Amino acid sequence: MENYYDVLGVKETATQDEIKKAFRALAKKHHPDVNQGSKESEEKFKKISEAYEVLGKPEERKKYDAAQKAGSSFNFGGFSSQGPFSEFASGVDSDFLKNIFSGFSFRGGSSSTSSTPFSSFENIINRGSAFSKKRSIPVLKVPLSIALAGGRVETTGLSSGTQILTIPEGSMSGTIIRDAEGNKVRLSIEDEDPFTIVGRNLQTKIYINIAQAVLGSKVKLKHPGGKSLIVTVPPGTQNGSVLRLAGQGFPGGDLFITAEINIPKDLTEQEKALFEKFAAEAGLKY
C-alpha cells in the first residue's frame, strides 16, 4: 500500500489543517467532472480520497501511524457511510465544494424541505469500478407530491446560480431535465409518508375498524398528487388485504393499499357483552 502521506504530498508531522488543505487542492485537481474520461485522474482521485479518509480522522491516523512504525500493514476498511467529505458537508469549506461538486438543494411550493448540496456526491466514489457519465449529472431530490402533480422548484448550487426549474407532471426517478443553460439535471423522487414508491407503483396503508372490515365501507384517501380518492373496502376484508386502485401511481402504474384492522381494546362491560353475544350467535369460539 502506498504511503498515505506521500499520496497527499504532506509530511508525517503535518497538522490536520495542512492535511485538509492538501486534500482539497488534490480533489479539485483530479475530480472526475474536471477530467472526464481520464483513467489516470480517476485512480488518483480514489487514492487521495482513501488517504484522506484515514489521515483526515485523528483516531484513524493514530492507528495508521502505529502500523507504519511497527512495519505492519494497515487495513483500510473502506469509506464510511458519509464518505471522506462528511465534515465538508456539515458546513466546513462548503464554498469550495459548491465549486467542484454538482449537488444542490431545492425549495418547492410552500415546503421548507431541502436536500444537502452534496447528496449527489456519495455515488461518485465507486470502489473497483469506473466512473460513468451518468454519475457526473447533478441530482435533484424532488418530493413525491411535486413529481406527480408537476410544479416549479427553486434550486441553488448550479453553475449558473439560483434557478427555477419546472418539474413535468408524472416525473419518475431518473428523468432528465435541463436548466436554463441547457445543462442536464437528473431527478430523484423521494417517498412522502405514508406513500412509498415501488417502480411505477405507489404503496400505502389504511386503518379500518372491525365493523368496516366485516360489513364493508368507503374510505377517503388523499392522493399525494393532490386529488381525493374513495377506497372501497369490500365486506369480509381480512387484515393485511391489499386493495388496488388502477392508474393511481406514476404513468402506467397503480396504487396498492394494505388494509390494517384496528382491534378494539379496553372494552366496557356492555361492549364486551355485545361481542360475546355476537360470537355465540355466529358460532365463534374464543
Side-chain angles (χ1 to χ4, degrees):
M1 176 179 288
E2 293 186 61
N3 185 298
Y4 285 154
Y5 291 99
D6 291 342
V7 171
L8 294 180
V10 297
K11 297 179 180 179
E12 294 185 4
T13 56
T15 65
Q16 292 302 126
D17 282 340
E18 289 173 337
I19 289 173
K20 184 191 299 182
K21 288 177 182 177
F23 167 71
R24 289 168 53 197
L26 290 171
K28 185 174 182 179
K29 180 180 178 182
H30 296 291
H31 189 274
D33 284 352
V34 180
N35 304 276
Q36 290 192 9
S38 172
K39 294 292 183 182
E40 182 181 355
S41 290
E42 175 186 323
E43 289 304 317
K44 286 183 178 179
F45 189 77
K46 289 180 182 178
K47 288 179 181 178
I48 62 175
S49 299
E50 180 179 321
Y52 185 70
E53 180 74 351
V54 174
L55 299 185
K57 299 176 181 177
E59 291 302 316
E60 290 298 313
R61 184 182 179 186
K62 286 179 183 179
K63 295 177 185 177
Y64 175 78
D65 289 343
Q68 289 290 91
K69 289 178 181 178
S72 57
S73 61
F74 177 80
N75 181 24
F76 173 65
F79 296 108
S80 66
S81 60
Q82 292 182 310
F85 308 94
S86 57
E87 65 179 315
F88 293 122
S90 64
V92 180
D93 297 315
S94 60
D95 289 338
F96 160 72
L97 285 177
K98 282 182 181 178
N99 290 331
I100 65 171
F101 301 148
S102 54
F104 50 88
S105 61
F106 75 90
R107 295 195 301 275
S110 60
S111 172
S112 60
T113 305
S114 63
S115 64
T116 169
F118 312 100
S119 57
S120 67
F121 189 71
E122 287 299 319
N123 288 328
I124 290 179
I125 298 177
N126 188 1
R127 284 164 283 172
S129 63
F131 294 100
S132 67
K133 291 182 179 179
K134 179 178 178 180
R135 289 194 180 94
S136 67
I137 301 176
V139 175
L140 173 64
K141 292 184 178 181
V142 178
L144 176 60
S145 55
I146 294 179
L148 288 172
R152 292 156 62 84
V153 297
E154 182 179 296
T155 67
T156 61
L158 294 174
S159 58
S160 52
T162 300
Q163 290 190 38
I164 302 294
L165 297 183
T166 299
I167 310 301
E169 180 180 348
S171 294
M172 297 180 63
S173 287
T175 298
I176 301 293
I177 62 174
R178 294 182 181 271
D179 64 16
E181 294 186 350
N183 299 312
K184 291 181 178 180
V185 178
R186 188 183 305 278
L187 304 184
S188 175
I189 312 306
E190 303 290 292
D191 293 340
E192 276 191 90
D193 189 58
F195 295 89
T196 56
I197 303 167
V198 182
R200 293 183 176 275
N201 302 318
L202 300 179
Q203 291 182 346
T204 192
K205 292 180 180 180
I206 57 172
Y207 298 89
I208 58 177
N209 60 45
I210 193 168
Q212 290 174 305
V214 172
L215 303 175
S217 183
K218 301 284 187 182
V219 178
K220 249 184 198 181
L221 179 66
K222 182 77 171 180
H223 189 271
K227 53 191 172 184
S228 293
L229 303 175
I230 299 296
V231 181
T232 299
V233 179
T237 293
Q238 303 297 303
N239 188 57
S241 294
V242 178
L243 311 174
R244 172 175 169 263
L245 293 185
Q248 296 301 330
F250 286 96
D254 304 322
L255 172 59
F256 292 90
I257 305 163
T258 300
E260 292 200 0
I261 302 172
N262 287 324
I263 304 300
K265 298 179 180 179
D266 303 321
L267 298 177
T268 65
E269 289 301 318
Q270 183 180 6
E271 291 168 338
K272 186 177 178 181
L274 290 172
F275 268 98
E276 289 174 344
K277 181 180 179 182
F278 165 75
E281 292 181 357
L284 301 177
K285 296 181 179 181
Y286 60 93

